[in-house]
């Protein structure tokens, strides 16, 4: 499970990976749940653990994490033509 803020498009896998790469703090943002129910037909218990990733911005720090876009050639933002 990946938890993200409202500015991340949950239907865009690239946006999700962006949030994981830029907002996840591994030492505090990863939750592992052992012995959780998984697939009923799993005799080897391969799917009995769950993982949660907190890819949200810390409370009160929204201004520090303002999302920016990098200009690309053709955007007309200071690139010579």
């Amino acid at each position: 499970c990946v938890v993200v803020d409202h500015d991340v498009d949950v239907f865009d896998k690239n946006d999700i990976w962006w949030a994981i790469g830029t907002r996840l703090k591994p030492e505090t943002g990863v939750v592992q749940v052992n012995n959780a129910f998984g697939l009923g037909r799993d005799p080897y218990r391969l799917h009995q653990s769950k993982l949660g990733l907190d890819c949200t911005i810390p409370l009160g720090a929204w201004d520090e994490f303002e999302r920016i876009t990098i200009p690309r050639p053709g955007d007309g933002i200071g690139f010579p033509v």
Side-chain angles (χ1 to χ4, degrees):
C1 175
V2 180
V3 180
V4 296
D5 286 303
H6 69 278
D7 65 328
V8 178
D9 182 359
V10 297
F11 299 105
D12 182 355
K13 67 179 177 190
N14 292 324
D15 225 18
I16 299 294
W17 281 114
W18 172 85
I20 292 170
T22 60
R23 297 184 176 173
L24 176 64
K25 189 175 179 184
E27 59 269 16
T28 58
V30 177
V31 176
Q32 181 177 340
V33 180
N34 295 321
N35 300 317
F37 179 75
L39 300 174
R41 296 174 47 185
D42 184 8
Y44 302 106
R45 299 180 50 86
L46 298 175
H47 305 281
Q48 301 298 313
S49 295
K50 307 295 180 226
L51 190 67
L53 304 177
D54 179 4
C55 300
T56 58
I57 294 172
L59 291 175
W62 187 257
D63 292 338
E64 297 175 36
F65 286 84
E66 182 180 353
R67 195 164 182 177
I68 62 169
T69 55
I70 299 172
R72 297 180 180 180
D75 287 348
I77 307 175
F79 285 102
V81 278

